[in-house]
Amino acid sequence: MSELNVEFGLQETRVLSLKDASDGTVATINTANASTDRPDGTAPHAISEFYSYDHSASSVTNSDYYWLGDGVNDTLRFTNHSSTLFGSNDDFSYSGWFRVDETSNQMQWLGSFSEASPTGATMIFIQYNATSNRMQLRFRKGGGGNFHQRFWSISSTNNYNVTGVNSNGWKSTNRGNVNSEGFVHLVFTRDNSNTASSGMNLYWNGTKLPESIQFNSRSLATFNIRSAAVGDSINASPNSASVFKGGIDQVSVYTKTLTQSEVTALYNSGTPITCSDAGVTTNLLAEYRLENNTTNTSGTFPSLTNSGGTFTAY
């Protein structure tokens, strides 16, 4: 307790209660970290919150802008990278913040990956399928029924408690559980060694959806990823009706299966932060902060080419 007094700039021998230390009565604690274990001002006021809390963390990097597309001739993409970025049979995670502005129930592409010359037959899909009000993560090789995939109904009875999206479809008037800016944090993960449905997961605002409506464990031949699109289908023209209509921020790609604690850190209680500030950088291939330019990226991915979308301040 004397150490807390010193941190708060108080006399070391001052009588200090855990409640006053936790709720800001005596001073404002250092909130410059993404830990969900730091004192939150609510009971029970436990000393364990202060043990796990990073007292000396530096300030996080603010996310001041996001990319905004109106769904017409908008795209963030690159094609035919000079070398392989990852393989279709690698562990994989895709994280980002999305604010859907589409006014009707329409298909929405969240991201896609393909070979050097993109085709719809061989690619990774990450999208919202309006037909059945579901999210899907799909790995496809050679078209036909050769899929490794999982679908989640975001309005099903169990999932509704997490998403808040009803059966009318994911759209601007039915965004569900979002932050104060209307964004939801979505994370799709795939563990290639796990051939059961639990090997593919979707997290909505840091919470894993408890059930899915379809799973296909068909194995795939490996293909090498050298092209990618955010909020778009990599094999389609940017004026496709399925281009994401809305805001996108803090997109990251990993060649690993993110853990629950890592997803929680990236969600950061609803405030977008960098992967570094979240402490989630292992196997990070690319991070697109989308901070008012198209070159703000880290990792082995090249910069995205922006065509049609704008950058908007929060």
Side-chain angles (χ1 to χ4, degrees), residues 21-201:
S22 175
D23 64 14
T25 296
V26 293
T28 302
I29 62 173
N30 181 2
T31 59
N33 65 70
S35 173
T36 57
D37 297 322
R38 66 178 177 233
D40 56 8
T42 60
H45 305 289
I47 192 65
S48 59
E49 294 180 288
F50 289 94
Y51 282 131
S52 57
Y53 163 60
D54 187 351
H55 298 255
S56 59
S58 57
S59 296
V60 299
T61 304
N62 290 332
S63 182
D64 298 322
Y65 292 87
Y66 60 90
W67 183 86
L68 179 64
D70 63 4
V72 180
N73 295 319
D74 295 331
T75 187
L76 287 166
R77 64 170 64 194
F78 65 84
T79 58
N80 196 17
H81 187 52
S82 59
S83 60
T84 297
L85 299 165
F86 66 97
S88 62
N89 283 326
D90 290 338
D91 292 342
F92 171 82
S93 295
Y94 185 76
S95 170
W97 292 86
F98 300 89
R99 189 193 71 197
V100 59
D101 292 344
E102 177 61 69
T103 57
S104 59
N105 190 27
Q106 297 283 339
M107 175 155 327
Q108 300 278 308
W109 281 87
L110 305 180
S112 57
F113 304 85
S114 187
E115 297 175 307
S117 298
T119 68
T122 299
M123 64 187 302
I124 299 173
F125 294 70
I126 307 169
Q127 66 180 198
Y128 166 70
N129 188 323
T131 303
S132 53
N133 197 16
R134 65 191 186 186
M135 296 287 182
Q136 67 183 73
L137 174 60
R138 175 186 294 186
F139 293 72
R140 177 166 72 180
K141 174 65 175 177
N146 195 15
F147 299 130
H148 179 67
Q149 62 190 0
R150 189 174 183 183
F151 298 88
W152 296 265
S153 173
I154 58 176
S155 62
S156 65
T157 301
N158 287 338
N159 290 342
Y160 174 78
N161 294 328
V162 177
T163 69
V165 177
N166 62 37
S167 59
N168 292 324
W170 192 45
K171 53 187 177 180
S172 60
T173 56
N174 193 34
R175 289 174 175 151
N177 298 327
V178 294
N179 68 8
S180 60
E181 301 290 344
F183 283 77
V184 59
H185 184 241
L186 300 177
V187 178
F188 296 81
T189 68
R190 183 237 199 163
D191 177 358
N192 187 55
S193 67
N194 184 350
T195 58
S197 60
S198 57
M200 303 175 83
N201 286 292

